[in-house]
PDB file of all heavy atoms in Angstrom:
ATOM      1  N   TYR A 561      15.288   2.865  -1.667  1.00 98.00           N
ATOM      2  CA  TYR A 561      15.653   2.241  -2.944  1.00 98.00           C
ATOM      3  C   TYR A 561      17.080   1.693  -2.909  1.00 98.00           C
ATOM      4  O   TYR A 561      18.014   2.430  -2.574  1.00 98.00           O
ATOM      5  CB  TYR A 561      15.508   3.271  -4.065  1.00 98.00           C
ATOM      6  CG  TYR A 561      14.127   3.910  -4.073  1.00 98.00           C
ATOM      7  CD1 TYR A 561      13.905   5.160  -3.485  1.00 98.00           C
ATOM      8  CD2 TYR A 561      13.038   3.245  -4.635  1.00 98.00           C
ATOM      9  CE1 TYR A 561      12.636   5.736  -3.472  1.00 98.00           C
ATOM     10  CE2 TYR A 561      11.765   3.820  -4.620  1.00 98.00           C
ATOM     11  CZ  TYR A 561      11.578   5.059  -4.035  1.00 98.00           C
ATOM     12  OH  TYR A 561      10.323   5.621  -4.019  1.00 98.00           O
ATOM     13  N   PRO A 562      17.271   0.437  -3.308  1.00 98.00           N
ATOM     14  CA  PRO A 562      18.621  -0.138  -3.275  1.00 98.00           C
ATOM     15  C   PRO A 562      19.540   0.484  -4.322  1.00 98.00           C
ATOM     16  O   PRO A 562      19.078   0.982  -5.353  1.00 98.00           O
ATOM     17  CB  PRO A 562      18.374  -1.617  -3.571  1.00 98.00           C
ATOM     18  CG  PRO A 562      17.049  -1.690  -4.234  1.00 98.00           C
ATOM     19  CD  PRO A 562      16.246  -0.521  -3.749  1.00 98.00           C
ATOM     20  N   ALA A 563      20.831   0.421  -4.047  1.00 98.00           N
ATOM     21  CA  ALA A 563      21.840   1.057  -4.906  1.00 98.00           C
ATOM     22  C   ALA A 563      21.729   0.599  -6.362  1.00 98.00           C
ATOM     23  O   ALA A 563      21.920   1.376  -7.290  1.00 98.00           O
ATOM     24  CB  ALA A 563      23.232   0.740  -4.361  1.00 98.00           C
ATOM     25  N   LEU A 564      21.407  -0.657  -6.548  1.00 97.00           N
ATOM     26  CA  LEU A 564      21.294  -1.245  -7.884  1.00 97.00           C
ATOM     27  C   LEU A 564      20.288  -0.503  -8.755  1.00 97.00           C
ATOM     28  O   LEU A 564      20.410  -0.464  -9.981  1.00 97.00           O
ATOM     29  CB  LEU A 564      20.842  -2.697  -7.681  1.00 97.00           C
ATOM     30  CG  LEU A 564      20.392  -3.522  -8.848  1.00 97.00           C
ATOM     31  CD1 LEU A 564      21.607  -3.930  -9.654  1.00 97.00           C
ATOM     32  CD2 LEU A 564      19.673  -4.767  -8.354  1.00 97.00           C
ATOM     33  N   THR A 565      19.263   0.077  -8.144  1.00 98.00           N
ATOM     34  CA  THR A 565      18.203   0.717  -8.929  1.00 98.00           C
ATOM     35  C   THR A 565      18.553   2.147  -9.307  1.00 98.00           C
ATOM     36  O   THR A 565      17.812   2.787 -10.053  1.00 98.00           O
ATOM     37  CB  THR A 565      16.882   0.767  -8.121  1.00 98.00           C
ATOM     38  OG1 THR A 565      17.098   1.525  -6.920  1.00 98.00           O
ATOM     39  CG2 THR A 565      16.398  -0.616  -7.762  1.00 98.00           C
ATOM     40  N   GLN A 566      19.654   2.648  -8.787  1.00 98.00           N
ATOM     41  CA  GLN A 566      19.948   4.064  -8.890  1.00 98.00           C
ATOM     42  C   GLN A 566      21.095   4.366  -9.849  1.00 98.00           C
ATOM     43  O   GLN A 566      22.256   4.122  -9.524  1.00 98.00           O
ATOM     44  CB  GLN A 566      20.353   4.521  -7.474  1.00 98.00           C
ATOM     45  CG  GLN A 566      20.017   5.937  -7.234  1.00 98.00           C
ATOM     46  CD  GLN A 566      20.631   6.470  -5.955  1.00 98.00           C
ATOM     47  OE1 GLN A 566      21.042   7.598  -5.937  1.00 98.00           O
ATOM     48  NE2 GLN A 566      20.725   5.697  -4.902  1.00 98.00           N
ATOM     49  N   GLY A 567      20.778   4.885 -11.043  1.00 98.00           N
ATOM     50  CA  GLY A 567      21.827   5.247 -11.997  1.00 98.00           C
ATOM     51  C   GLY A 567      22.611   6.434 -11.469  1.00 98.00           C
ATOM     52  O   GLY A 567      22.034   7.418 -11.015  1.00 98.00           O
ATOM     53  N   SER A 568      23.956   6.338 -11.507  1.00 98.00           N
ATOM     54  CA  SER A 568      24.775   7.434 -11.004  1.00 98.00           C
ATOM     55  C   SER A 568      26.018   7.552 -11.885  1.00 98.00           C
ATOM     56  O   SER A 568      26.723   6.567 -12.080  1.00 98.00           O
ATOM     57  CB  SER A 568      25.170   7.140  -9.548  1.00 98.00           C
ATOM     58  OG  SER A 568      25.794   8.269  -9.004  1.00 98.00           O
ATOM     59  N   HIS A 569      26.236   8.735 -12.428  1.00 98.00           N
ATOM     60  CA  HIS A 569      27.321   8.889 -13.398  1.00 98.00           C
ATOM     61  C   HIS A 569      28.446   9.786 -12.887  1.00 98.00           C
ATOM     62  O   HIS A 569      28.202  10.728 -12.140  1.00 98.00           O
ATOM     63  CB  HIS A 569      26.789   9.505 -14.697  1.00 98.00           C
ATOM     64  CG  HIS A 569      25.755   8.654 -15.369  1.00 98.00           C
ATOM     65  ND1 HIS A 569      25.068   9.057 -16.479  1.00 98.00           N
ATOM     66  CD2 HIS A 569      25.282   7.410 -15.072  1.00 98.00           C
ATOM     67  CE1 HIS A 569      24.223   8.103 -16.840  1.00 98.00           C
ATOM     68  NE2 HIS A 569      24.332   7.096 -16.007  1.00 98.00           N
ATOM     69  N   ILE A 570      29.627   9.489 -13.372  1.00 98.00           N
ATOM     70  CA  ILE A 570      30.758  10.386 -13.134  1.00 98.00           C
ATOM     71  C   ILE A 570      30.667  11.472 -14.199  1.00 98.00           C
ATOM     72  O   ILE A 570      30.767  11.186 -15.388  1.00 98.00           O
ATOM     73  CB  ILE A 570      32.101   9.626 -13.272  1.00 98.00           C
ATOM     74  CG1 ILE A 570      32.143   8.420 -12.324  1.00 98.00           C
ATOM     75  CG2 ILE A 570      33.268  10.578 -13.078  1.00 98.00           C
ATOM     76  CD1 ILE A 570      33.357   7.511 -12.518  1.00 98.00           C
ATOM     77  N   GLY A 571      30.435  12.693 -13.764  1.00 98.00           N
ATOM     78  CA  GLY A 571      30.337  13.791 -14.721  1.00 98.00           C
ATOM     79  C   GLY A 571      31.631  14.575 -14.766  1.00 98.00           C
ATOM     80  O   GLY A 571      32.647  14.177 -14.182  1.00 98.00           O
ATOM     81  N   SER A 572      31.574  15.717 -15.441  1.00 97.00           N
ATOM     82  CA  SER A 572      32.798  16.512 -15.570  1.00 97.00           C
ATOM     83  C   SER A 572      32.906  17.517 -14.420  1.00 97.00           C
ATOM     84  O   SER A 572      31.966  17.709 -13.661  1.00 97.00           O
ATOM     85  CB  SER A 572      32.794  17.246 -16.912  1.00 97.00           C
ATOM     86  OG  SER A 572      31.544  17.864 -17.082  1.00 97.00           O
ATOM     87  N   SER A 573      34.045  18.143 -14.305  1.00 96.00           N
ATOM     88  CA  SER A 573      34.243  19.184 -13.306  1.00 96.00           C
ATOM     89  C   SER A 573      34.860  20.390 -14.013  1.00 96.00           C
ATOM     90  O   SER A 573      35.804  20.216 -14.780  1.00 96.00           O
ATOM     91  CB  SER A 573      35.184  18.693 -12.209  1.00 96.00           C
ATOM     92  OG  SER A 573      35.424  19.716 -11.275  1.00 96.00           O
TER      93      SER A 573
END
Side-chain angles (χ1 to χ4, degrees):
Y561 307 98
L564 169 75
T565 60
Q566 209 190 142
S568 188
H569 298 175
I570 304 173
S572 48
S573 177

